Every structure is written in structure tokens, then in C-alpha cells.
Amino acid sequence: MSARTSRSANKGSRFRLRFWGVRGSYPTVDPKTLGVGGNTSCVEVEVDGRRLIFDAGTGIIALGKEFCSGALPPPPAYVFLSHTHIDHVMGLCFFEPLLTPKAHSFILGPGASRGALTRSLRHLTHSHLFPVSLDELKGKKEIFSLAGGEIIRFGSSARRPKIERSPPADGAPSEELMITTCKSSAHPLNGVMLYRVHYRSKSVVYATDIEQQDGGYPEIIDFIRGADLLIHDAQYLRDEYLSRDKPRKGWGHSTIEMAAEVAQKAGVKRLALFHHEPTHDDKIMKKIERQAKQLFPSTVIAHEGMQIDLL
Ligand SMILES: [Zn+2]
Ligand SMILES: [Zn+2]
């Protein structure tokens, strides 16, 4: 599958993904990596007239500029953080809506208690690291801590997301836009949040920074079951993961084989490999794509600028 343009004429009926950053760990500017792209994690999902953003790696910087490029106040930005490791929040302080007085951002992400996510993000703007505090950033912002197991909905016109604490009654496909969450401990030290966006019986799962166990984690396989698209961490080659000199086991990331295995077991329709190792240049990524397609034929390597339409 290659990047495609939307067939939907009506903006409200879109369910479109765009990758703004696909690297793991740190950004790279090595020209040999720029075919796939050098920015860290950021995926935009335009759905039901709203713009949802998954992670605030350096990819969010260009997205934020696009958000604020028109004459009108920008639309509300819904930023869902998988966790607050630096590669996933590195772009947040440069996200234009947070610097723009008329803009409104909602930031959601893992936090053990009310206010926990706000406290984590305050570290990012500590005076030793950044000259402006989180509270001084001019854009309006609301921050919500998630525990996992929530359903997030949007009323027809309301801006503020409604967060329900109860798990879904069943796995039936949803017609209305909703986001379900799953907290996994398969990433050191504090775990990671997985998100599934449902709309008009289609769904996409964002599952980065996950180190699968042999055979995959059953609760994760259940969460991603039947998704139309699974975006999954695939940072390492098996040789790197098992290397004698520098084994990556326990570092919190999957191999291509692990991602393909859970995609297969969960019966997802398509798999996008994501959170690429920054030392893997475009040549290596081509090899990985060929290898991955042999394991799970409907696989693509997520690259910067890639667009996928689910409707
Ligand atoms: Zn990461
Ligand atoms: Zn991480």
C-alpha cells in the first residue's frame, strides 16, 4: 500500500492519517535517513471534522505551524501522549497552538492521579531546560491524566472531550467517533498508553514504545483485535535485539518479527511499522520493508508525510 489521497469530498466524513514524525529515541538529520524522515513520533488523525494528534515528538513542530497558518483562530488541538519520554514530548514547547493566545489545546496522556500529567509536563519547562514555564505558554490548554480503560468521546459540537472511566461494554465497532485507551506496562519504567480511534466502524490503533513478549501480550492483542490499521513499534532488527555485545532486550521496543506476530494474531488488516531506529538509514529501511512483507504482507514502513485514508 502506498500513500493515497482521499476520496472523501466531505471533510466531516474523513478518517485520514498523516505521519509527521516516525523516528524513535532521537531525531536524525543524516541525509541518508531523510527518505523515511528524521523527526520523532507524531501522527495526526483527521476524523469527523476534528484533528487528533498522537505524540508530540519533533514532528509536531511542523504540524503546529500548519495549524496556525490560516487567518482564522486554529481549530482545537487534541494531543494524546503515549508517555512522556523525551522523544515523545520534545516538540511540545514549540507547538504553535501552545504559543498562540487564541488557540486551544487539550493534552491527554498517562498519569496515575489527577494532575499527574501536568506535573510530568512541568519538568519539560523547568527553568534549567526551557525559559518559559508551562503555565506561561500563551495558548489556552487543558491537561487530562488517563489511567487506561477510558472511552473518550466528543459531543456533536462540544470542544472539550468527555472522558468516561468505564471500559467499553463490548468490542463492537463504533459508528461515532470515540477513542479507547489501554495502559501497558511493556515499556520501562512507567509503561505506555495505547490508543484506538473508532469511527464509522473503522479503527486505527496507535501502539508505540511497546516491547512485546513471546507470542505477544494477550491484553494488547485483545485491544488491537480486528483494527483496520495497527501502527506498531518496530525499532529493532532481531540481530540487534539479541546482540551479544549490546542486547536491546528490556529497552522497551519490539522487533519487526514481534510487530508482525501481534498483527497476525490480532487479525488486523494493515500494519504500519513505526518508531524506527535512528541509525537505520533508508537502505536498511527498504530491506526491513521487504522482510516485514514476508511475515505480514499488508505491512508498510511509516514515513514522514505518508497519508493513509481509512474511509
Ligand atoms: Zn520512544
Ligand atoms: Zn519511551
Side-chain angles (χ1 to χ4, degrees), residues 183-215:
K183 179 82 194 296
S184 166
S185 55
H187 191 66
L189 289 169
N190 299 317
V192 67
M193 193 69 81
L194 279 64
Y195 296 98
R196 182 165 180 163
V197 183
H198 309 249
Y199 183 58
R200 293 200 178 175
S201 300
K202 301 277 182 191
S203 67
V204 54
V205 175
Y206 181 70
T208 191
D209 293 60
I210 280 281
E211 180 173 358
Q212 293 289 350
Q213 63 176 11
D214 254 359

Side-chain angles (χ1 to χ4, degrees), residues 83 85 87-88 187 209 253:
H83 61 318
H85 281 169
D87 51 325
H88 297 261
H187 191 66
D209 293 60
H253 300 290

Side-chain angles (χ1 to χ4, degrees), residues 18 31 45 58 74 76 78 89 93 109 151 181-182 213 241 247 265 290:
R18 186 161 177 201
V45 178
T58 56
Y78 301 95
V89 293
C93 294
I151 308 178
T181 67
C182 171
Q213 63 176 11
Y241 187 75
K265 283 198 167 174
R290 281 197 298 275

Side-chain angles (χ1 to χ4, degrees), residues 32-96:
K32 293 199 287 293
T33 62
L34 299 185
V36 166
N39 283 298
T40 63
S41 303
C42 181
V43 180
E44 180 190 9
V45 178
E46 194 184 339
V47 56
D48 196 22
R50 293 178 198 271
R51 296 177 75 173
L52 317 179
I53 300 163
F54 293 87
D55 275 333
T58 56
I60 204 172
I61 300 170
L63 169 57
K65 294 204 187 313
E66 201 239 62
F67 245 73
C68 295
S69 60
L72 296 169
Y78 301 95
V79 181
F80 295 84
L81 299 175
S82 61
H83 61 318
T84 51
H85 281 169
I86 192 72
D87 51 325
H88 297 261
V89 293
M90 220 179 245
L92 202 60
C93 294
F94 305 99
F95 180 51
E96 207 69 26

